[in-house]
């Protein structure tokens, strides 16, 4: 188990405890965090689970693969250096407490 | 061969009874167990959401390269050249998928929205003049045969060939039964048309099809692969979306309160489409093949076995969905199986979403009520679900 912390665009904070291996996208969708849309359900096709990862946590994430990199160019909100798809961020002991900021819009 | 340690079922997912009304069979399949031996076709299968997800998440064990239909390409020669996307595994699949995924990505499709909106508005204008229309022949087919081939860059002439071509490709994922044989009648001319129209010289500049050839020029896929990848667009992208639109209008005609919800808030068009895909999935079933001895939900499965996936059953699995038999366009539908999932999740899903979202938005602004006005006929296919005829009366909004 470990926690993902979501900070919505309006500043609202929610912490979700999930089993290892659960993606941040799955956690958000299962708990009604509306700032994550996740239309494609994790196939890296839609860029609607876009998040900005808190700078302190960035080095701990698994490196981005080519499909995620390409997809982030399609994101509805501005792509930044700390942009990631939350469907590709899986809970692990390393990431317990990970903080992500939600963009203004996903579609 | 008998399988003593798993639940056994004699359900035949390709029988006429099943295809006409799959829901009672879906329930039997789900409740027989998490993994079921299907004695009719000597294969394994699941109708449960959780197990299907596990299969899709493990393409090394449950591969696609031996065919995503009933036939096992390890044991028999494929009847046609397998799809380079759908019926391929890593590493060959990876780059092809990346290329087509980029061509069909959200960002690349944004420029198409305005064209789709013009087409949808013109269609709805014609529909409102007639008011008594067929959902398939006068709504779904003309819309999809306009916007999709336009986007790919196909000429105007002969587009109706795409419907029997797709029907044949999908029927071929089942057994070589009567449905499959029927869909092969006259297919030579249809195939010739399709073959000709995905060739580079016949694709319009600026279209999605030519972008695949440009990726081949850049060395991302080979020039031999490019035409076969464009063929995948044409075979997978028409019958599925035509059925989806027919199914959507059927759902709204039968659930008028949901149509009113959509009219009050047309922004629901996108999530409404997702609920249609969950509730009446156009693409109902497909297969994987085990690459080695494995186990799923405690059931041992040997290597080189076909594994049946019932999308329709998983989409109404009560273990996953609250009130699964209720059509609700405001439902949280993420995780439905209508577009598959994992590395083989439908590569055309974003263009399908755009097509249907735009059409439903246009219809919701002009149509107060939709009624089924006569007997309907199904368009039977081994793995697709949809209507052949669906007569509707459309009542204009004032």
């Amino acid at each position: 188990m470990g926690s993902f912390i979501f900070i919505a665009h309006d500043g609202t904070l929610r912490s979700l405890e999930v089993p290892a291996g659960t993606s941040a996208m799955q956690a958000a969708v299962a708990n009604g965090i509306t700032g994550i849309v996740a239309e494609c359900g994790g196939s890296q096709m839609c860029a609607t689970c876009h998040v900005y990862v808190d700078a302190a946590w960035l080095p701990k994430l698994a490196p981005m693969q080519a499909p995620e990199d390409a997809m982030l160019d399609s994101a509805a909100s501005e792509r930044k250096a700390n942009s990631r798809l939350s469907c590709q961020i899986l809970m692990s002991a390393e990431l317990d407490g990970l903080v992500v900021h939600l963009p203004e819009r996903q579609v | 061969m008998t399988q003593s340690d798993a639940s056994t079922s004699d359900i035949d997912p390709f029988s006429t009874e099943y295809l006409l009304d799959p829901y009672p069979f879906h329930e039997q399949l789900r409740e027989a167990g998490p993994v079921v031996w299907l004695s009719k076709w000597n294969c394994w299968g699941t109708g449960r959401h959780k197990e299907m997800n596990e299969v899709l998440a493990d393409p090394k064990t449950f591969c696609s390269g031996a065919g995503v239909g009933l036939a096992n390409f390890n044991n028999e020669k494929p009847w046609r050249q397998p799809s380079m996307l759908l019926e391929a595994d890593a590493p060959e699949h990876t780059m092809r998928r990346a290329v087509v995924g980029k061509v069909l990505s959200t960002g690349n499709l944004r420029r198409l929205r305005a064209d789709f909106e013009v087409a949808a508005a013109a269609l709805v204008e014609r529909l409102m003049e007639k008011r008594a229309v067929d959902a398939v022949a006068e709504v779904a087919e003309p819309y999809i045969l306009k916007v999709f081939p336009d986007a790919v860059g196909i000429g105007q002439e002969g587009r109706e060939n795409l419907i029997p071509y797709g029907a044949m490709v999908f029927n071929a994922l089942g057994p070589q039964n009567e449905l499959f044989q029927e869909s092969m009648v006259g297919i030579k001319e249809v195939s010739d048309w399709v073959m000709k129209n995905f060739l580079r010289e016949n694709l319009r500049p600026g279209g999605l099809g030519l972008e695949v050839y440009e990726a081949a020029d850049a060395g991302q896929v080979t020039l031999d692969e490019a035409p076969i990848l464009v063929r995948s667009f044409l075979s997978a992208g028409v019958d599925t979306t035509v059925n989806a639109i027919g199914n959507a209008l059927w759902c709204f005609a039968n659930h008028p309160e949901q149509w009113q919800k959509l009219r009050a808030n047309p922004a629901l068009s996108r999530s409404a489409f997702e609920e249609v895909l969950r509730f009446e999935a156009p693409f109902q079933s497909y297969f994987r093949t085990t690459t080695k001895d494995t186990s799923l939900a405690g059931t041992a499965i040997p290597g080189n076995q076909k594994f049946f996936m019932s999308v329709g059953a998983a989409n109404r699995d009560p273990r996953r969905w609250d009130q699964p038999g209720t059509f609700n366009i405001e439902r949280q539908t993420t995780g439905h199986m209508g577009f598959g999932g994992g590395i083989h999740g439908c590569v055309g899903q974003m263009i399908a979403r755009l097509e249907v979202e735009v059409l439903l938005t246009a219809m919701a602004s002009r149509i107060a009520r939709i009624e089924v006005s006569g007997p309907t006929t199904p368009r039977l296919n081994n793995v697709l679900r949809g209507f052949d005829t669906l007569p509707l009366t459309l009542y204009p909004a004032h």
Side-chain angles (χ1 to χ4, degrees):
Chain A
M1 300 292 281
S3 294
F4 285 125
I5 296 168
F6 293 85
I7 301 176
H9 192 66
D10 67 3
T12 317
L13 184 149
R14 277 188 68 189
S15 174
L16 301 176
E17 198 172 324
V18 296
T22 303
S23 73
M25 176 278 279
Q26 288 167 328
V29 166
N31 290 281
I33 292 187
T34 53
I36 298 288
V37 176
E39 275 184 336
C40 81
S43 296
Q44 300 184 76
M45 280 301 299
C46 71
T48 64
C49 70
H50 178 204
V51 294
Y52 301 119
V53 176
D54 201 82
W57 291 91
L58 262 186
K60 298 190 173 174
L61 293 187
M64 190 186 298
Q65 304 295 310
E68 180 181 352
D69 191 6
M71 193 48 54
L72 280 166
D73 289 338
S74 300
S77 291
E78 182 198 358
R79 179 176 183 171
K80 300 178 185 171
N82 59 341
S83 284
R84 294 295 299 259
L85 295 180
S86 58
C87 65
Q88 302 303 309
I89 302 175
L90 306 184
M91 179 50 69
S92 64
E94 274 268 274
L95 295 185
D96 183 11
L98 176 85
V99 178
V100 299
H101 301 265
L102 302 181
E104 186 175 4
R105 58 195 194 94
Q106 296 282 8
V107 290
Chain B
M1 180 173 183
T2 58
Q3 305 294 329
S4 54
D5 56 344
S7 317
T8 294
S9 168
D10 61 0
I11 287 174
D12 176 4
F14 307 108
S15 67
T16 306
E17 302 72 40
Y18 183 105
L19 296 173
L20 281 172
D21 182 17
Y23 298 108
F25 296 106
H26 287 167
E27 188 176 354
Q28 286 175 37
L29 180 63
R30 276 193 308 263
E31 300 316 314
V35 174
V36 179
W37 173 253
L38 295 170
S39 56
K40 169 74 184 174
W41 296 107
N42 285 345
C43 66
W44 304 82
T46 189
R48 293 198 190 172
H49 189 274
K50 178 170 180 285
E51 281 67 31
M52 196 175 299
N53 249 338
E54 285 177 31
V55 168
L56 292 176
D58 186 6
K60 279 189 181 145
T61 307
F62 294 92
C63 78
S64 295
V68 299
L70 177 63
N72 182 344
F73 297 167
N74 293 327
N75 304 341
E76 55 186 288
K77 195 176 168 297
W79 70 288
R80 66 162 199 168
Q81 186 181 359
S83 161
M84 287 190 158
L85 283 172
L86 203 58
E87 299 184 314
D89 296 314
E92 293 82 7
H93 170 262
T94 312
M95 196 60 198
R96 298 173 192 154
R97 164 82 192 199
V99 164
V100 177
K102 190 160 188 200
V103 170
L104 295 176
S105 69
T106 306
N108 201 36
L109 299 178
R110 286 209 175 105
R111 62 190 161 92
L112 297 176
R113 177 181 286 271
D115 292 344
F116 288 12
E117 284 174 348
V118 169
L123 174 67
V124 173
E125 193 64 42
R126 290 201 301 277
L127 296 176
M128 295 325 289
E129 280 165 23
K130 289 198 69 176
R131 296 194 190 176
V133 301
D134 186 85
V136 182
E138 294 175 282
V139 185
E141 289 184 353
Y143 178 66
I144 291 300
L145 290 179
K146 163 78 180 145
V147 299
F148 185 64
D150 275 4
V152 176
I154 305 280
Q156 300 291 329
E157 208 64 34
R159 289 178 174 191
E160 64 284 356
N161 284 303
L162 292 169
I163 306 264
Y165 186 74
M168 179 268 294
V169 167
F170 284 105
N171 265 321
L173 297 183
Q176 300 203 346
N177 55 8
E178 214 170 292
L179 275 176
F180 172 73
Q181 301 300 344
E182 278 169 16
S183 68
M184 291 297 284
V185 174
I187 208 68
K188 169 94 177 50
E189 290 74 18
V190 169
S191 291
D192 288 349
W193 182 91
V194 171
M195 296 291 170
K196 194 175 119 216
N197 278 279
F198 59 63
L199 294 179
R200 182 170 205 154
E201 59 269 29
N202 294 324
L203 292 169
R204 181 179 55 78
L208 301 173
L210 215 48
E211 287 185 28
V212 175
Y213 282 92
E214 283 157 9
D217 292 340
Q220 296 169 314
V221 290
T222 70
L223 279 165
D224 294 340
E225 288 170 329
I228 308 300
L229 292 174
V230 177
R231 187 185 73 174
S232 304
F233 285 33
L234 303 183
S235 53
V238 176
D239 298 60
T240 45
T241 45
V242 165
N243 281 8
I245 290 169
N247 292 355
L249 297 176
W250 168 254
C251 289
F252 280 116
N254 287 307
H255 301 89
E257 79 292 351
Q258 299 296 315
W259 184 252
Q260 296 315 322
K261 257 195 225 173
L262 180 65
R263 290 193 61 224
N265 180 10
L268 287 171
S269 288
R270 230 167 147 92
S271 64
F273 178 44
E274 304 295 322
E275 175 65 346
V276 169
L277 291 175
R278 185 195 70 81
F279 192 73
E280 288 285 7
F283 189 17
Q284 283 274 319
S285 63
Y286 51 90
F287 288 81
R288 293 290 185 257
T289 309
T290 55
T291 56
K292 59 180 185 196
D293 295 355
T294 187
S295 86
L296 182 65
T299 303
I301 304 174
N304 199 30
Q305 300 280 302
K306 296 304 292 197
F307 193 94
F308 173 75
M309 312 267 269
S310 175
V311 172
N315 276 354
R316 294 193 185 197
D317 183 352
R319 294 159 192 80
R320 170 64 179 78
W321 308 99
D322 186 32
Q323 297 189 293
T326 302
F327 178 67
N328 173 11
I329 65 170
E330 290 175 302
R331 181 192 290 275
Q332 173 58 259
T333 53
T334 303
H336 75 73
M337 292 292 174
F339 283 126
I343 62 166
H344 288 282
C346 174
V347 75
Q349 59 183 275
M350 298 314 288
I351 193 165
R353 286 193 174 98
L354 185 62
E355 287 166 348
V356 181
E357 176 210 332
V358 166
L359 178 64
L360 287 179
T361 303
M363 292 184 81
S365 72
R366 298 285 307 275
I367 299 168
R369 198 156 49 91
I370 300 172
E371 268 178 19
V372 177
S373 59
T376 66
T377 48
R379 183 170 281 181
L380 289 189
N381 185 290
N382 279 326
V383 298
L384 300 181
R385 179 163 173 78
F387 290 93
D388 202 39
T389 60
L390 171 54
L392 299 176
T393 304
L394 307 176
Y395 294 89
H398 296 294

